């Protein structure tokens, strides 16, 4: 019910499911899963440099991390370009991304797993995940993540008992 306005495309989890086992690489390039970010509410966003809507929403995701990032919340933007790190890192530097950690999956395994679960149709895809690694909501397509509507959604997700 908190997904309104600019984030109204966020759909509630149906059925609820654990995403703790989703795998990708951490900022140092080591394998990890969402379980290692347990105890935080996460906004997980899959993006690629060739995806125009992904590129357009990246500054807003960076702003959301700057505004709300804490020991309780993190924007986990996972690049899914195939190949090396050069192109995505260059893009992030060019547009001045300063607050997002560099998560990566160049195998498309993460995207394909979300497709298998009927959570991803294309890019960008965004998942709101609770402190236990369970999906709260998801959406396909871009949103204005730095806006008031997204801020209210994150506050609702961070509320005690959520």
């Amino acid at each position: 019910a908190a997904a309104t306005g600019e984030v109204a495309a966020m759909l509630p989890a149906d059925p609820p499911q654990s995403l703790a086992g989703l795998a990708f690489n951490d900022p140092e390039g080591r394998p990890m899963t969402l379980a290692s970010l347990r105890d935080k509410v996460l906004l997980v966003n899959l993006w690629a440099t060739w995806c125009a809507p992904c590129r357009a929403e990246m500054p807003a995701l960076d702003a959301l991390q700057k505004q709300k990032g804490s020991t309780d919340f993190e924007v986990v933007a996972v690049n899914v370009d195939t190949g090396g790190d050069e192109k995505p890192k260059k893009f992030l530097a060019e547009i001045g991304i300063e607050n997002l950690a560099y998560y990566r999956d160049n195998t498309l395994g993460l995207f394909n797993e979300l497709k298998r679960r009927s959570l991803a149709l294309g890019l960008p895809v965004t998942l709101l995940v609770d402190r236990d690694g369970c999906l709260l909501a998801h959406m396909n397509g871009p949103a204005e993540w730095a806006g008031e509507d997204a801020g209210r959604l994150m506050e609702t997700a961070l509320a005690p008992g959520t």
Side-chain angles (χ1 to χ4, degrees), residues 13 19 21 23 25 27 58 61 89 108 120 123 138:
L19 300 180
N25 289 335
M58 197 57 55
L61 289 164
K89 283 186 173 183
L108 286 179
L123 291 175
H138 63 97

Side-chain angles (χ1 to χ4, degrees), residues 16-99:
Q17 56 186 291
S18 174
L19 300 180
L22 292 180
F24 48 96
N25 289 335
D26 73 9
E28 286 75 41
R30 295 182 303 245
M32 66 171 288
T33 64
L34 275 186
S36 63
L37 297 171
R38 190 177 182 94
D39 298 327
K40 284 186 180 187
V41 172
L42 306 172
L43 187 72
V44 180
N45 177 274
L46 274 63
W47 68 280
T49 58
W50 47 262
C51 166
C54 301
R55 293 172 70 96
E57 77 176 350
M58 197 57 55
L61 289 164
D62 190 56
L64 178 62
Q65 176 63 26
K66 183 176 182 177
Q67 294 165 4
K68 302 278 185 196
S70 68
T71 57
D72 294 324
F73 175 77
E74 184 178 352
V75 175
V76 179
V78 183
N79 176 265
V80 295
D81 280 30
T82 57
D85 288 338
E86 300 79 22
K87 188 175 180 180
K89 283 186 173 183
K90 181 180 177 188
F91 166 72
L92 294 172
E94 285 174 355
I95 64 167
I97 299 302
E98 298 177 350
N99 303 290

Side-chain angles (χ1 to χ4, degrees), residues 2 4 7 12-13 31 44 62 69-70 75 80 84 86 98 105 107 110 125 143-144 148 151 158:
T4 60
V7 294
V44 180
D62 190 56
S70 68
V75 175
V80 295
E86 300 79 22
E98 298 177 350
D105 175 28
T107 69
L110 176 57
V125 59
E144 179 46 63
E148 290 180 18
L158 285 161

